[in-house]
Structure formats: structure tokens, C-alpha cells
Amino acid sequence: MNSSLYELDYVLWLESTVDCLQSGDWEGIDRLNLIEELEALGRGERRAVASLLKQILIHLLLYQYGVTEQERNRKHWAAELVNFRDQLQRYVASQTLKNYAQSELTVVYKVARLFVERKTELDGLPLACPYSLVQILDEAFYGEVR
């Protein structure tokens, strides 16, 4: 397959690549661009997991520590947790992405904590992530309201 098709018409390139794979036409496959696309797909999945994990952590921190805004925002934060957890659950059905979420939890938590501190001027948020991945994924868990 001509790699220029990849640059000219990406969707047609995808369709042609699928056709080659389905028919066993290994010579017709644009291997370099296919490898690049598969690697990008993996990176994108990991970015999505980290992003959803960060959003869940932000909302758990707000729900648990945002005392002055709880009455006004509690339902919104809870609804956001349902939404982000649903999306993350779909990714972590893959054990590889679940392991990735676990390995990134400490780093992502630091960013989430910093975001909440800057947005709300809250002091005293835990320096280390107070939530396990099991709690983060648990649709019934909202942390202890302080």
C-alpha cells in the first residue's frame, strides 16, 4: 500500500488497511504508518486514563474537603464522579490500563491536589493520595465528608 494515501486521505487509508488485514494481503499493508497509529492509540488510551483519574481525584477532594462549598456543589461533584468513574471503568477493563492507573496514581494525585488548592485556596489537603484505586473506582465511595 502506498504510504502517501495515509497523508492524502486518512479514512481511506484506514479502510484499505482493514481490507488488507482481513484478506491477508500482508504486502499491501503500510506497516510504518500502521505501527505509528497503533503506538499513538496506546498513548491516547493512557492519557485518557490519567485524565479521568485526575478528574475523579479532583472531585473526591472537593467533595470531601470543600466544606464551605458543599451545600451548593455537593450534588454536582457527586454527578461528576458518576460520569468520570463510568468512563474510567471502561478503560480499566483492560488489566494493562488498570495497572497503568495504579502506577500513575501518586503523580496524578499531586496534580489534582495542586489544582484543588489553587482553585479553592484549601489548606491541609493530604500530601499523599488518601484513596486506593479500589475506592476511586467504587461508585459508592465519596470519602468521608469533613
Side-chain angles (χ1 to χ4, degrees):
M1 179 184 297
N2 189 339
S3 64
S4 65
L5 182 58
Y6 178 82
E7 293 149 10
L8 294 173
D9 189 335
Y10 179 73
V11 173
L12 183 57
W13 175 84
L14 283 173
E15 291 170 355
S16 298
T17 301
V18 169
D19 288 344
C20 287
L21 289 168
Q22 287 176 334
S23 68
D25 178 11
W26 310 119
E27 296 302 315
I29 294 173
D30 175 7
R31 286 179 186 82
L32 293 178
N33 284 318
L34 179 57
I35 290 167
E36 184 178 310
E37 286 298 314
L38 291 172
E39 289 172 340
L41 181 61
R43 286 189 303 273
E45 298 276 300
R46 284 178 172 84
R47 274 193 306 274
V49 166
S51 177
L52 290 165
L53 188 58
K54 181 176 78 172
Q55 290 302 318
I56 292 168
L57 290 168
I58 287 169
H59 287 82
L60 279 172
L61 288 170
L62 289 170
Y63 193 93
Q64 186 171 2
Y65 294 95
V67 177
T68 59
E69 298 178 19
Q70 275 181 356
E71 190 173 316
R72 185 176 66 234
N73 292 311
R74 190 171 181 178
K75 289 180 183 179
H76 170 74
W77 295 333
E80 290 290 81
L81 282 165
V82 169
N83 178 41
F84 293 130
R85 282 175 168 153
D86 174 60
Q87 292 177 56
L88 184 59
Q89 286 285 4
R90 295 169 195 270
Y91 284 102
V92 298
S94 157
Q95 188 62 47
T96 299
L97 290 176
K98 189 172 190 173
N99 293 343
Y100 178 76
Q102 182 65 55
S103 72
E104 291 296 300
L105 187 55
T106 300
V107 173
V108 173
Y109 175 75
K110 288 178 184 177
V111 174
R113 187 191 78 234
L114 183 61
F115 177 88
V116 171
E117 286 174 348
R118 297 299 186 269
K119 182 177 175 115
T120 65
E121 298 179 354
L122 283 173
D123 286 330
L125 294 176
L127 295 178
C129 184
Y131 316 114
S132 68
L133 186 59
V134 170
Q135 290 172 319
I136 290 166
L137 295 171
D138 181 354
E139 64 187 35
F141 178 77
Y142 291 88
E144 294 179 29
V145 177
R146 297 185 175 245

